[in-house]
């Protein structure tokens, strides 16, 4: 009986079992599941490259792999993790699943484009994987010219083609979300009643739609120049390699916000639900998402302080980079204020959200070091940079993804994950993460450059610490993989709203029916109006 | 099949036809925003290179066939006119008129591509296609080659968009033929028109940037 209750009646999961019903589905929830499988696969592929690198760096001389292999490892780690895990992670999985439900719609505005985006993603990923297995790539994930166009002897052209294709899946997803939020909201759901997750995905989508095409045309130009020997990046024929960096970072700095804004959205939801309070300064948190998206387009030059860009341009980029800290800090302070005097319920998603706030703050503050030109000259291309962006991307984005997966797991599958194991692995992840990456701040400050397969012996202790942390981190990622799969059959039946959350997706069955809601919901209040808070407190 | 009040049913995710139309229109505008940034990378590259090598760009420009470029500009502007009139005819429920105008738009589009092909062929013959076969006498040869690689990338990408546009209009023409549109429902014609005008506007920028440098230096 207990196993059967979750799947009683039809829902989106038992509504057809054939391969066709999955691979030709236009249901946003099923497409989210397709994306989930794909990106988890890539997460472990990208992670395995990291394992090899950390093993190599256990000893100063470089014993495990050759220099060339090491160059390929960090390149492929970056490409896979950024383009095939982080960028699609929260938007394409949780955003796809949740945005239509959060706005009270039956589906996204363009269901078939949504399916197409997954196929485009798989096609782009296949071409890139082809490049990786038939020789790999050693340019770094940044593909700097003229190395990538003229000197590298690796598989630049197929990798560029793969990334070009993948970009369009990102554009299609962003376009779909923007139109859905504008035009598909349920009656009564005004802009300032939207959940903050929707606000941050909306801001993310703007970045996806406006930044990704620039990356696409840039990698296309690199591939073209590489294949034909003619183009605009090679200084030997009057081209300008700095132009590549401008174009690349015009996408790739905003891409950081494609990774972090959705995680911020998750954290807002989790903190509201598990402190039983409306998010403090809701409108400011919503506006901060848009502000981050807009500022994000104006700071790319902070990646080029030592590239020979004009000092005056550097100054402007430095000041603008500092300004991004304001909306980011608005969010952190408002989350903290939400927790204050809240009725805190320590469930796993909240632990991950706490992890996010702490690690993101460290990542953000070290970002300010790097935005200062003089300090940046000292720290550029050292492990300090590596530690900084891993605090943002792993400590921030991946923690946010883990928070979201746990928070919405009961909604997606109809089952609860095992709370004890989940809390334990959240702790393991937090410890493993800090042990891996904090020593890298020190290494970088002491002058160890990134992207080398060997190093002076005095750096060994910190490197061994980092590798030890990485193995703990790896365990922290494997445990959830196991218990989440286990919970699909064995987990407790969740019920519609196990957390007592207030947003619309929790007001329908778990797992939801294919149409999401039996009838279109009518919204009469904001997203976070928790009942009877005073009564609970006065007891 | 050709019930004129509701030629095609509203898709399941929408409440009514109006919502569906608005969604399609906004989707296309966003797509065009993406396209602007897509071309924007090339325009930026062009500006940087022209800033860097003004003399070479002026010299290279003298090799451009302004007459053919101007004719093509006129052809494309006319196609935008027939497109706009075609949308208007669809809005008024004049199936035959809109069919003829869409076909005319496609014919102008094909004429543009034909003239472009002639230009390309001549550039090949004159050895102005970048790469091993490129020949240009003078000190600025390599930078002239840069101009021509930008020329081929920008006009090539534009031509690709024209080909896609003609493909879209083929579908639209077939739908008009089957009586799928009415004054209540002609959104696909309108949205395709937006795309066509966009491709036209890109050319309006390409023409002066690529053909008309020399007279102004
Ligand atoms: Cu940046």
């Amino acid at each position: 009986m207990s196993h059967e209750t979750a799947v009683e009646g039809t829902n989106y999961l038992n509504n057809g079992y054939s391969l066709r019903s999955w691979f030709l589905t236009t249901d946003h929830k099923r497409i989210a599941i397709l994306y989930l499988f794909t990106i988890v696969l890539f997460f472990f592929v990208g992670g395995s490259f990291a394992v090899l690198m950390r093993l190599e760096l256990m000893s100063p001389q470089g014993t495990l792999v050759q220099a060339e292999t090491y160059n390929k490892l960090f390149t492929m780690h970056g490409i896979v993790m950024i383009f095939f895990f982080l960028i699609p992670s929260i938007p394409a999985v949780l955003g796809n699943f949740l945005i239509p439900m959060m706005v009270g719609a039956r589906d996204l505005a363009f269901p078939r484009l949504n399916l197409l985006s997954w196929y485009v993603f798989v096609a782009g990923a296949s071409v890139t994987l082809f490049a990786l297995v038939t020789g790999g790539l050693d340019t770094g994930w940044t593909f700097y010219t003229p190395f990538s166009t003229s000197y590298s002897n690796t598989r630049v052209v197929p990798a560029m083609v793969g990334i070009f294709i993948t970009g369009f899946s990102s554009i299609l997803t962003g376009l779909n979300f923007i139109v859905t939020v504008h035009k598909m909201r349920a009656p009564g759901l005004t802009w300032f009643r939207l959940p903050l997750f929707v606000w941050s995905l909306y801001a993310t989508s703007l970045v996806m739609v406006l930044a990704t095409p620039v990356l696409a045309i840039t990698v296309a130009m690199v591939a073209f120049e590489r294949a034909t020997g003619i183009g605009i990046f090679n200084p030997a024929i009057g081209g300008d390699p700095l132009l590549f960096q401008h174009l690349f970072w015009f996408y790739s700095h905003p891409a950081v916000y494609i990774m972090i804004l959705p995680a911020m959205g998750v954290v807002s939801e989790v903190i509201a639900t598990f402190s039983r309070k409306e998010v403090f300064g809701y409108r400011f948190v919503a506006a901060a998402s848009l502000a981050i998206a807009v500022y994000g387009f104006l700071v790319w030059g902070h990646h080029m302080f030592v590239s020979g860009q004009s000092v005056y341009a550097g100054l402007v980029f430095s000041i603008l980079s500092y300004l991004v800290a304001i909306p980011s800090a608005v969010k952190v302070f408002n989350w903290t204020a939400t927790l204050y005097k809240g009725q805190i319920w320590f469930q796993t998603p909240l632990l991950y959200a706490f992890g996010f706030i702490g690690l993101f703050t460290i990542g953000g503050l070290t970002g300010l070091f790097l935005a200062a030109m003089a300090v940046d000259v000292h720290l550029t291309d050292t492990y300090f940079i590596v530690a900084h962006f891993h605090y943002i991307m792993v400590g921030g984005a991946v923690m946010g993804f883990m928070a979201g997966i746990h928070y919405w797991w009961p909604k997606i599958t109809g089952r609860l994950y095992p709370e004890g194991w989940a809390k334990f692995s959240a702790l393991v992840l937090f410890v493993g993460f800090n042990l891996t990456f904090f020593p890298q701040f020190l290494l970088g400050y002491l002058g160890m450059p990134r992207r080398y397969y060997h190093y002076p012996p005095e750096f060994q202790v910190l490197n061994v610490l980092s590798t030890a942390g990485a193995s703990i981190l790896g365990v922290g990622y494997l445990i959830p993989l196991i218990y989440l799969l286990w919970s699909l059959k064995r987990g407790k039946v969740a019920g519609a709203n196990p957390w007592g959350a207030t947003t619309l997706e929790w007001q329908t069955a778990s797992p939801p029916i294919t149409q999401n809601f039996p009838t279109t919901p009518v919204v009469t209040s904001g997203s976070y109006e928790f009942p009877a808070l005073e009564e609970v407190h006065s007891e | 099949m050709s019930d004129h009040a509701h030629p095609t049913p509203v898709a399941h995710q929408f409440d009514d036809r109006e919502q569906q139309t608005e969604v399609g229109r906004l989707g296309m505008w966003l797509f065009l925003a993406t396209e602007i940034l897509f071309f924007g990378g090339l325009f930026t590259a062009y500006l940087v290179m022209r800033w860097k090598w003004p003399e070479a760009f002026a010299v290279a420009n003298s090799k451009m066939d302004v007459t053919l470029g101007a004719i093509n500009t006129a052809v494309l502007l006319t196609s935008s006119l027939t497109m706009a009139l075609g949308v208007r005819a669809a809005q008024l429920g004049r199936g035959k008129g809109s069919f003829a105008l869409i076909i005319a738009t496609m014919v102008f589009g094909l004429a543009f591509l034909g003239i472009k092909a002639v230009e390309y062929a001549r550039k090949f013959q004159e050895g102005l296609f970048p790469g091993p076969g490129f020949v240009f006498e003078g000190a600025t040869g390599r930078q002239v080659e840069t101009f021509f690689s930008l020329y081929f990338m920008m006009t090539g990408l534009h031509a690709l968009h024209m080909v896609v546009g003609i493909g879209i209009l083929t579908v639209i023409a077939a739908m008009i033929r089957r009586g799928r549109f009415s004054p209540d429902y002609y959104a696909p014609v309108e949205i395709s028109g937006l795309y066509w005008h966009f491709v036209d506007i890109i050319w309006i920028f390409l023409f002066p940037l690529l053909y008309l440098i020399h007279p102004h230096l």
Side-chain angles (χ1 to χ4, degrees), chain A residues 71-84 87 124 128 131-132 136-152 154-167 212 214-226 232-235 240-252 255 259 381 450-451:
Chain A
N71 292 348
K72 289 179 183 172
L73 283 175
F74 70 68
T75 302
M76 299 192 291
H77 171 70
I79 291 176
V80 169
M81 285 303 202
I82 288 170
F83 295 112
F84 299 105
I87 298 267
T128 312
L132 299 191
L137 187 70
D138 67 351
T139 59
W141 81 280
T142 47
F143 323 122
Y144 271 15
T145 56
F147 181 71
S148 59
T149 44
S150 305
Y151 302 106
S152 170
T154 54
R155 307 283 287 164
V156 177
V157 172
M160 295 299 99
V161 172
I163 286 160
F164 178 84
I165 296 170
T166 310
T212 317
V214 179
L215 177 77
I217 195 70
T218 307
V219 296
M221 283 192 271
V222 169
F224 185 73
E225 181 159 345
R226 167 105 187 163
I232 49 169
F233 298 131
N234 184 359
D240 186 351
L242 260 197
L243 176 61
F244 170 83
Q245 294 185 26
H246 281 292
L247 292 170
F248 178 80
W249 289 113
F250 183 84
Y251 166 79
S252 294
M259 304 175 217
D381 277 337
R450 65 192 285 203
R451 294 180 168 174

Side-chain angles (χ1 to χ4, degrees), chain B residues 89-132:
Chain B
Q91 187 186 17
L92 296 173
R94 294 178 191 150
K96 275 195 182 144
S98 91
F99 181 76
L101 285 159
I102 298 291
I103 296 292
T105 310
M106 288 165 62
V107 170
F108 283 122
L110 287 169
F112 176 93
L113 287 175
I115 294 171
K116 199 81 230 150
V118 171
E119 272 193 84
Y120 277 179
R122 288 196 188 156
K123 293 280 170 295
F124 271 108
Q125 282 161 11
E126 294 165 30
L128 290 174
F129 185 76

Side-chain angles (χ1 to χ4, degrees), chain A residues 371-382:
Chain A
M373 286 165 77
V375 184
D376 188 64
V377 171
H378 176 57
L379 296 173
T380 286
D381 277 337
T382 67

Side-chain angles (χ1 to χ4, degrees), chain A residues 249 252-254 256-257 296 299-303 321 388:
Chain A
W249 289 113
S252 294
H253 183 82
V256 175
Y257 300 118
V299 300
W300 76 88
H302 63 212
H303 297 272
S321 304
H388 155 69

Side-chain angles (χ1 to χ4, degrees), chain B residues 167-185:
Chain B
I168 294 172
L169 290 188
T170 311
V171 176
I172 294 292
M175 286 170 83
I176 295 175
R177 234 341 179 357
R178 279 189 230 127
R180 299 286 280 276
F181 301 122
S182 68
D184 293 333
Y185 176 66

Side-chain angles (χ1 to χ4, degrees), chain A residues 24-357:
Chain A
L24 290 180
T25 183
T26 53
D27 181 348
H28 65 103
K29 300 182 286 302
R30 286 196 164 202
I31 296 169
I33 302 289
L34 293 176
Y35 263 115
L36 179 62
F37 277 107
T38 322
I39 65 155
V40 168
L41 180 74
F42 277 106
F43 179 77
F44 284 97
V45 171
S48 61
F49 296 135
V51 168
L52 291 174
M53 276 190 283
R54 281 319 319 167
L55 286 176
E56 164 62 34
L57 293 173
M58 290 234 310
S59 63
Q61 308 85 10
T63 44
L64 185 67
V65 294
Q66 302 288 311
E68 291 78 15
T69 316
Y70 187 80
N71 292 348
K72 289 179 183 172
L73 283 175
F74 70 68
T75 302
M76 299 192 291
H77 171 70
I79 291 176
V80 169
M81 285 303 202
I82 288 170
F83 295 112
F84 299 105
F85 175 72
L86 284 165
I87 298 267
S89 62
I90 296 179
V93 177
L94 295 173
N96 233 330
F97 196 97
L98 293 163
I99 285 184
M101 303 191 75
M102 284 181 161
V103 303
R106 288 181 285 277
D107 207 320
L108 287 170
F110 304 107
R112 278 179 297 182
L113 281 189
N114 195 20
L115 180 65
L116 177 67
S117 87
W118 182 72
Y119 277 102
V120 170
F121 182 76
V122 170
S126 307
V127 176
T128 312
L129 276 184
F130 167 78
L132 299 191
V133 294
T134 57
L137 187 70
D138 67 351
T139 59
W141 81 280
T142 47
F143 323 122
Y144 271 15
T145 56
F147 181 71
S148 59
T149 44
S150 305
Y151 302 106
S152 170
N153 292 317
T154 54
R155 307 283 287 164
V156 177
V157 172
M160 295 299 99
V161 172
I163 286 160
F164 178 84
I165 296 170
T166 310
F168 289 96
S169 103
S170 197
I171 291 171
L172 289 175
T173 302
L175 190 150
N176 221 336
F177 288 175
I178 294 174
V179 178
T180 304
V181 176
H182 271 278
K183 299 291 179 191
M184 310 283 282
R185 282 171 288 130
L189 188 54
T190 57
W191 279 88
F192 283 115
R193 284 176 177 172
L194 284 173
L196 288 165
F197 182 77
V198 177
W199 270 102
S200 54
L201 262 287
Y202 180 81
T204 309
S205 304
L206 289 176
V207 180
M208 284 172 150
V209 167
L210 297 178
T212 317
V214 179
L215 177 77
I217 195 70
T218 307
V219 296
M221 283 192 271
V222 169
F224 185 73
E225 181 159 345
R226 167 105 187 163
T228 62
I230 48 162
I232 49 169
F233 298 131
N234 184 359
I237 55 170
D240 186 351
L242 260 197
L243 176 61
F244 170 83
Q245 294 185 26
H246 281 292
L247 292 170
F248 178 80
W249 289 113
F250 183 84
Y251 166 79
S252 294
H253 183 82
V256 175
Y257 300 118
I258 299 179
M259 304 175 217
I260 205 73
L261 275 168
M264 290 171 157
V266 172
V267 170
S268 296
E269 299 300 317
V270 167
I271 287 198
T273 296
F274 292 100
S275 59
R276 291 283 174 280
K277 264 179 76 187
E278 175 164 14
V279 175
F280 181 84
Y282 166 94
R283 286 179 183 227
F284 283 90
V285 179
S289 293
L290 291 180
I292 290 173
V294 173
Y295 281 137
F297 277 104
L298 307 173
V299 300
W300 76 88
H302 63 212
H303 297 272
M304 300 167 60
F305 286 157
V306 299
S307 309
Q309 152 187 270
S310 127
V311 182
Y312 302 104
L315 269 175
V316 173
F317 281 124
S318 171
I319 292 164
L320 288 169
S321 304
Y322 270 91
L323 289 182
V324 186
I326 296 171
S328 310
V330 164
K331 289 193 177 239
V332 171
F333 288 130
N334 284 16
W335 291 325
T336 319
T338 308
L339 291 164
Y340 181 66
K341 289 196 174 167
Q343 225 210 345
I344 297 191
W345 187 18
F346 276 106
Q347 294 296 90
T348 310
L350 188 64
L351 292 188
Y352 278 116
F354 282 174
F356 175 96
I357 295 176

